[in-house]
């Protein structure tokens, strides 16, 4: 039982640490909220960070991500995004049509725990002032 607690605590601590790290984007000096698909309408024309599972690639400039809340989000890049793993982090801007223009993407590998990430996001939002710059 204590082993499971240790694994959960370590995993949660890791996700909180990842969430607190600054992201590299076109506007690196500004805070960018980490969002899920259901939040997109609240951030139109704003820079955000999304982590999701790649459920579809459309050519070499468009991804469909399943976010931690199980909602899909279409991300379009101006340039080709190259090879992507099963899970990616995308930084970009939310568009009026509930899609996102991706600026950068970071591969998170094929074994990322998206549901644990979603739980970490929920807890982070309860204490958002700790994570804002």
């Amino acid at each position: 039982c204590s082993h499971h607690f240790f694994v959960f605590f370590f995993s949660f601590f890791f996700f909180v640490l990842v969430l607190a790290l600054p992201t590299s984007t076109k506007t690196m000096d500004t805070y960018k909220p980490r969002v899920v698909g259901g939040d997109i309408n609240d951030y139109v024309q704003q820079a955000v960070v999304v982590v999701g599972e790649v459920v579809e690639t459309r050519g070499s400039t468009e991804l469909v991500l399943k976010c931690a809340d199980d909602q899909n989000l279409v991300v379009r890049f101006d340039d080709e995004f190259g090879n992507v793993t099963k899970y990616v982090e995308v930084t970009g801007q939310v568009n009026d049509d509930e899609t996102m223009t991706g600026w950068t993407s970071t591969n998170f590998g094929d074994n990322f725990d998206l549901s644990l990430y979603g739980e970490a996001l929920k807890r982070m939002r309860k204490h958002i002032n700790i994570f804002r710059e």
Side-chain angles (χ1 to χ4, degrees):
C1 212
S2 64
H3 173 72
H4 293 287
F5 174 78
F6 176 76
V7 170
F8 174 78
F9 179 78
F10 179 76
S11 297
F12 179 74
F13 178 76
F14 171 76
F15 281 115
V16 169
L17 181 64
V18 168
L19 294 173
L21 293 174
T23 55
S24 300
T25 68
K26 292 181 178 181
T27 57
M28 191 167 156
D29 57 339
T30 59
Y31 170 79
K32 285 169 273 328
R34 291 181 174 272
V35 301
V36 292
D39 297 332
I40 290 300
N41 286 331
D42 298 332
Y43 294 95
V44 173
Q45 298 304 315
Q46 295 182 46
V48 298
V49 178
V50 174
V51 174
E53 178 183 351
V54 178
V55 293
E56 184 180 351
T57 57
R58 298 175 181 166
S60 58
T61 59
E62 190 170 294
L63 298 173
V64 179
L65 299 180
K66 181 179 88 170
C67 299
D69 63 351
D70 289 327
Q71 293 199 23
N72 287 351
L73 175 65
V74 175
V75 182
R76 295 183 183 105
F77 293 84
D78 290 332
D79 299 319
E80 294 183 2
F81 49 75
N83 292 331
V84 293
T85 57
K86 185 175 180 179
Y87 297 96
V88 297
E89 175 187 76
V90 177
T91 302
Q93 183 172 338
V94 177
N95 301 317
D96 294 328
D97 63 354
E98 299 180 9
T99 64
M100 184 174 163
T101 298
W103 296 333
T104 64
S105 65
T106 303
N107 287 328
F108 273 20
D110 295 331
N111 296 314
F112 184 77
D113 191 333
L114 192 59
S115 63
L116 185 58
Y117 174 81
E119 288 300 313
L121 273 181
K122 289 176 189 175
R123 284 168 176 62
M124 183 186 83
R125 289 178 179 181
K126 289 182 181 178
H127 307 284
I128 193 67
N129 49 338
I130 295 172
F131 297 97
R132 282 199 162 175
E133 297 178 340

